[in-house]
Amino acid sequence: MKVGFIVNIHISEMRPADYITRYLESLKYVTHDYHVYIIDNGSDKKYDISECNIKDKITYEYIEDQWVNGITGAWNIGTKLAIEDGCKIIIGFA
């Protein structure tokens, strides 16, 4: 059974990326088949997954203007991607 982790982010001076990196690194202990969907809701600087220890399990989507669909738009994109990939359990992290 595939698990989808939806991670909505917005990185800025007030919200640095270190908490996201720690969260992603913790997923290496998940024993089920899983995939991570990072929905970047208009961060000042795009999140770099190249150094992440699970980058082969990550889909990254960048939303240029978060004001168009707001936070629920990001949730919907992540959920849609997870369902399309066949995830039976979907866990959101915002």
Side-chain angles (χ1 to χ4, degrees):
M1 180 178 324
K2 189 172 183 180
V3 179
F5 291 95
I6 301 169
V7 183
N8 296 325
I9 64 173
H10 177 85
I11 301 166
S12 66
E13 186 176 320
M14 290 180 55
R15 295 184 193 120
D18 58 336
Y19 74 95
I20 298 160
T21 302
R22 287 192 310 266
Y23 174 78
L24 293 173
E25 288 173 354
S26 76
L27 295 177
K28 68 182 175 186
Y29 299 106
V30 174
T31 57
H32 285 63
D33 180 24
Y34 73 93
H35 197 81
V36 180
Y37 306 88
I38 298 176
I39 312 303
D40 188 334
N41 210 3
S43 291
D44 297 340
K45 180 181 174 187
K46 292 183 180 183
Y47 183 70
D48 181 12
I49 66 168
S50 66
E51 299 297 319
C52 186
N53 61 357
I54 59 164
K55 65 178 167 258
D56 58 320
K57 294 184 172 283
I58 295 175
T59 297
Y60 177 86
E61 295 282 329
Y62 184 81
I63 298 170
E64 288 290 330
D65 186 357
Q66 68 175 322
W67 294 101
V68 174
N69 292 311
I71 187 70
T72 56
W75 291 337
N76 290 340
I77 290 169
T79 303
K80 181 177 184 280
L81 290 170
I83 290 169
E84 288 173 349
D85 281 349
C87 294
K88 299 301 181 192
I89 297 173
I90 300 173
I91 299 169
F93 175 78

